[in-house]
Amino acid sequence: DSSAYLAFPWKTPKAKDLTSIEKIITTYKHFFKNDNFLSFKIIDLEFKTDSVTMGTSLNSYDSNICTILIDIDCWNDGTIEHEIIHNFMRVVPPRKDSAYFFFSESIPEYLSIALLHSDSAEDKIFQKKFETLEKKIFNDKSIFQTINNKIDEQAEYIIIYQKIPYLLYLFSKEVGKDKFLNAFQQFYFQVNKTNHINIELMEKIFKESGISDSQWKQFMHNISSTLK
């Protein structure tokens, strides 16, 4: 069970948008095997910049209370799906860990698309990400370089939200989406059970789920180097 409601709404949401949010929450609860009652408070605020539409999910001492700040106008661009899924993926590495953004942003971005869209819609979304990458010069940067201001803010955004989710998408196409999502499901079941997350655990569970050693090594090479 779950509930979702708006706090301090400056704009009136459409009924279909509220229904959509309930469906998103239900999908995530099923995937992450979360049987807890979750209360989502969605606060309508402006978080736009000239180039990036933003929202944020706030951590709470109570894991059953989920607070999201977002402009209602952004509900249809994928931002709300991304912010909601953060509440099911609260275990992340320390901020100083080189894999922090990989686990805290890139994987949530991929899963929020893969779990909620048909295969054809998913293909279109990731094709758009690829087209964004083609126009940029940051493809030689690794996700593991996005710590301590080692690269500039624009490059960081492209790598975290475009490049790595796209490479996860390619990985899923290679091994099969059902197998790929099952590996993620088993991984996050273990993560949420132990409150522990790292690349080594992900590798172990993915291989146990049928991902070959060569497939894993190729993926790690891809996210650590230039997009080919």
Side-chain angles (χ1 to χ4, degrees):
D1 293 334
S2 62
S3 67
Y5 64 93
L6 280 172
F8 312 115
W10 301 113
K11 305 177 184 68
T12 302
K14 298 177 182 178
K16 67 179 182 65
D17 291 331
L18 292 176
T19 300
S20 175
I21 286 176
E22 293 286 2
K23 290 180 179 179
I24 292 168
I25 294 170
T26 299
T27 298
Y28 292 161
K29 282 174 67 70
H30 176 74
F31 181 79
F32 291 100
K33 301 179 181 180
N34 187 324
D35 295 326
N36 297 328
F37 178 85
L38 301 178
S39 177
F40 281 82
K41 180 186 293 183
I42 301 170
I43 300 175
D44 173 26
L45 295 173
E46 291 286 348
F47 272 83
K48 289 184 178 180
T49 67
D50 290 339
S51 60
V52 180
T53 299
M54 298 178 65
T56 188
S57 181
L58 304 180
N59 287 330
S60 169
Y61 289 109
D62 186 341
S63 62
N64 295 331
I65 297 176
C66 314
T67 303
I68 295 171
L69 307 181
I70 189 171
D71 179 6
I72 289 180
D73 290 341
C74 303
W75 284 14
N76 295 323
D77 70 355
T79 304
I80 190 68
E81 292 99 328
H82 178 100
E83 297 307 330
I84 289 174
I85 205 170
H86 276 305
N87 293 280
F88 296 87
M89 306 172 73
R90 294 192 177 191
V91 180
V92 296
R95 180 65 174 77
K96 64 182 180 180
D97 192 299
S98 62
Y100 173 78
F101 282 114
F102 177 65
F103 286 115
S104 69
E105 295 294 341
S106 297
I107 293 178
E109 175 70 3
Y110 165 74
L111 286 177
S112 69
I113 297 168
L115 293 175
L116 296 172
H117 296 274
S118 66
D119 289 348
S120 60
E122 180 185 359
D123 290 342
K124 291 178 181 178
I125 293 170
F126 283 108
Q127 178 60 32
K128 187 175 180 179
K129 288 184 181 294
F130 176 72
E131 291 168 358
T132 299
L133 290 171
E134 283 189 308
K135 300 173 184 177
K136 303 297 181 181
I137 63 173
F138 307 118
N139 294 331
D140 60 339
K141 301 296 183 180
S142 164
I143 183 65
F144 305 117
Q145 291 177 278
T146 56
I147 299 295
N148 299 325
N149 298 316
K150 291 183 180 179
I151 57 177
D152 66 84
E153 184 177 351
Q154 185 183 16
E156 186 172 281
Y157 176 84
I158 291 169
I159 292 166
I160 294 169
Y161 297 101
Q162 307 290 338
K163 176 181 176 180
I164 302 306
Y166 176 73
L167 291 174
L168 285 164
Y169 162 74
L170 292 184
F171 196 4
S172 76
K173 300 290 276 189
E174 177 186 359
V175 305
K177 185 176 179 180
D178 288 344
K179 179 188 289 187
F180 196 61
L181 290 180
N182 178 66
F184 264 124
Q185 188 176 50
Q186 298 307 315
F187 172 61
Y188 276 101
F189 177 78
Q190 187 67 21
V191 166
N192 291 327
K193 179 180 178 181
T194 63
N195 205 38
H196 179 70
I197 190 169
N198 59 35
I199 292 289
E200 291 74 22
L201 178 62
M202 182 177 175
E203 177 182 4
K204 176 179 180 293
I205 292 179
F206 269 52
K207 288 181 179 179
E208 290 175 351
S209 300
I211 307 301
S212 72
D213 182 65
S214 61
Q215 288 171 330
W216 177 262
K217 287 181 177 177
Q218 183 60 52
F219 171 67
M220 290 304 297
H221 170 76
N222 290 344
I223 67 173
S224 301
S225 58
T226 303
L227 174 63
K228 300 296 187 182

